[in-house]
Amino acid sequence: MNAKPTIYTQSLIELTDFCNLNCSMCSRVMTGKSHMHPGKNTSFINQNTIKNTFNGLYNFWSTPLAVKLFWCGEPLLHPEFDKIIQSAAKFCSRENAYLDLHTNAVFLDRYIDLLLESGDVLPRMTFSIDAINSKTYCKIRTGGNLETVMDNIGFFLKQRKELGLQWPKIVIQFIVLQDNKSECLQFVKFWYKKLTEYDTGGPDMDTIWVKKGDAYTPELQEFHDDLFRNCLNEINKSKNTFDSSRVRLIANSENSWPNKEDTYEIPDLQLHCGAPFTSPVIDSRGNLTCCCLDSSLDLSPGNINDNNFKTLWFSKSLQNIRKAFIQQDTENYPEICRNCPGYSGNLFKSFIKQVYSM
């Protein structure tokens, strides 16, 4: 490889594998690997792993690069979250990258000032809520309090407007499930009114994402497809009452990243998934994998603290996965890929030729 790749890429960096909630749609909860209670197996990423990760990305990876500070746990639980945000902000300023953060917002009040100060490199934050009714919320997000979450988000919006800041923009997320399907339209209308009230202008806007739930069998996926389709129809019947650009209906993760300013050509190669080519994931202990669903690290070639990023990312095991995807050799897909809930990816052939020599 003679130069850094020049295609949109993203890296997930897990700050902790500990979460304060048990959410019914979480892949770890569904597989019996609850991470709600801290213990000897709980991990918080340390500064050395952060340094090694950023150095690896800086020396190899492309721009624009989204650095997503979350994965299987709740990032705001990290005891040094403020220091990590500051380190990440320096990296992003140097490398023309930007931050992305997903949180359940239970502890948002601790860091509102810090996050608002980081708007230059943190263009967007996603708040995962999934309900408008407290009883439903507690059923889906066990251990949380909807009133606390809504107060925290409301205060964030109020502070941002009073300070005259355009960024970070926020996403209010609703994953369509059996337990919340009757609240979808009410959720959209409530948050549409709230976000419109606190709109601060700029080239982008705060949005509501209504997303289809994931499942790991064709039968369950068909069930989620029907739930999502019914909610979509309900929203479409009322679309004349709101600006549709503030409400996004997302059937899979391929279309879930809005560009802040950049535009890209249409990719010329469709793959089962683009993640093994463009989306490294580093867990809180430094283990690298190429899939956001690989919480068991079955695809991991090693640890960023033991080997440099380039050695891990171009390991034989990951190259074999990429080769299978390019050749659409489904028999040699990893097991997790064969059971993937419908993710798809698009790439440039020139990008693969430039970076992976395939």
Side-chain angles (χ1 to χ4, degrees):
M1 186 187 72
N2 298 319
K4 291 185 178 182
T6 53
I7 193 172
Y8 167 76
T9 53
Q10 61 183 10
S11 177
L12 273 68
I13 303 175
E14 180 186 65
L15 302 193
T16 180
D17 57 4
F18 170 46
C19 189
N20 55 309
L21 304 182
N22 263 356
C23 299
S24 61
M25 80 294 286
C26 175
S27 61
R28 293 188 65 172
V29 173
M30 290 195 304
T31 54
K33 301 173 183 177
S34 171
H35 48 183
M36 188 174 179
H37 303 291
K40 65 179 181 179
N41 294 322
T42 299
S43 176
F44 296 94
I45 199 169
N46 60 45
Q47 290 295 333
N48 186 58
T49 302
I50 287 283
K51 179 182 177 182
N52 290 337
T53 299
F54 285 159
N55 284 342
L57 293 173
Y58 176 73
N59 291 326
F60 167 74
W61 215 238
S62 76
T63 56
L65 167 68
V67 178
K68 300 192 170 190
L69 298 178
F70 59 90
W71 190 28
C72 293
E74 168 52 46
L76 299 189
L77 289 174
H78 198 292
E80 296 184 338
F81 178 78
D82 53 346
K83 294 180 181 178
I84 291 173
I85 284 289
Q86 291 164 1
S87 298
K90 290 180 181 179
F91 168 80
C92 289
S93 297
R94 178 183 67 179
E95 183 62 359
N96 189 30
Y98 50 98
L99 297 177
D100 187 15
L101 186 69
H102 281 225
T103 172
N104 57 44
V106 173
F107 300 112
L108 178 65
D109 56 315
R110 299 178 182 179
Y111 299 109
I112 286 178
D113 291 342
L114 172 66
L115 294 169
L116 288 173
E117 290 168 2
S118 305
D120 287 345
V121 292
L122 179 63
R124 188 185 73 187
M125 296 172 56
T126 298
F127 300 136
S128 301
I129 306 177
D130 307 308
I132 198 66
N133 177 281
S134 293
K135 185 176 180 180
T136 305
Y137 178 87
C138 290
K139 188 173 183 180
I140 294 173
R141 295 185 162 269
T142 304
N145 184 293
L146 181 59
E147 183 178 355
T148 297
V149 169
M150 295 179 79
D151 286 347
N152 288 344
I153 297 174
F155 187 69
F156 177 93
L157 292 169
K158 181 180 178 182
Q159 287 291 96
R160 189 187 63 182
K161 188 165 187 175
E162 289 180 353
L163 293 170
L165 301 174
Q166 291 187 3
W167 312 98
K169 298 300 187 186
I170 70 170
V171 172
I172 303 294
Q173 182 170 278
F174 184 98
I175 297 177
V176 180
L177 304 166
Q178 175 67 22
D179 291 326
N180 65 8
K181 62 181 182 179
S182 63
E183 300 181 16
C184 183
L185 183 58
Q186 184 184 0
F187 181 95
V188 168
K189 288 183 175 180
F190 174 87
W191 284 107
Y192 181 87
K193 181 178 179 180
K194 177 75 73 173
L195 297 183
T196 302
E197 178 183 357
Y198 288 99
D199 184 76
T200 54
D204 203 352
M205 64 171 63
D206 300 318
T207 52
I208 303 152
W209 286 9
V210 178
K211 296 182 68 174
K212 185 178 73 174
D214 288 335
Y216 298 92
T217 67
E219 294 77 17
L220 278 177
Q221 193 58 59
E222 185 176 347
F223 174 73
H224 281 283
D225 288 344
D226 289 339
L227 288 179
F228 182 77
R229 190 178 300 110
N230 290 337
C231 284
L232 186 151
N233 291 337
E234 188 177 11
I235 291 171
N236 282 336
K237 290 177 183 178
S238 302
K239 64 182 180 181
N240 293 333
T241 63
F242 46 74
D243 181 354
S244 60
S245 60
R246 196 182 288 281
V247 181
R248 302 190 64 180
L249 307 174
I250 301 171
N252 63 39
S253 53
E254 177 188 358
N255 302 313
S256 64
W257 183 267
N259 299 320
K260 183 176 177 182
E261 295 175 348
D262 305 289
T263 57
Y264 303 98
E265 300 176 61
I266 298 174
D268 55 12
L269 181 63
Q270 292 187 334
L271 301 172
H272 171 78
C273 178
F277 299 85
T278 63
S279 303
V281 179
I282 295 32
D283 81 351
S284 53
R285 293 172 174 82
N287 298 301
L288 181 145
T289 184
C290 65
C291 172
C292 64
L293 296 178
D294 186 27
S295 58
S296 298
L297 299 173
D298 295 329
L299 308 182
S300 176
N303 192 289
I304 199 77
N305 296 313
D306 301 325
N307 292 283
N308 64 53
F309 177 89
K310 187 175 180 180
T311 298
L312 295 174
W313 193 243
F314 288 92
S315 63
K316 184 178 180 179
S317 62
L318 296 192
Q319 289 289 75
N320 285 339
I321 293 173
R322 296 176 186 120
K323 185 178 294 185
F325 278 14
I326 291 171
Q327 297 174 349
Q328 298 187 5
D329 180 10
T330 56
E331 289 186 3
N332 284 311
Y333 281 8
E335 186 68 25
I336 192 173
C337 300
R338 288 187 227 133
N339 295 323
C340 180
Y343 187 93
S344 61
N346 296 309
L347 288 176
F348 294 98
K349 292 178 182 177
S350 57
F351 168 75
I352 292 177
K353 183 178 180 180
Q354 175 190 5
V355 180
Y356 296 102
S357 300
M358 290 183 174

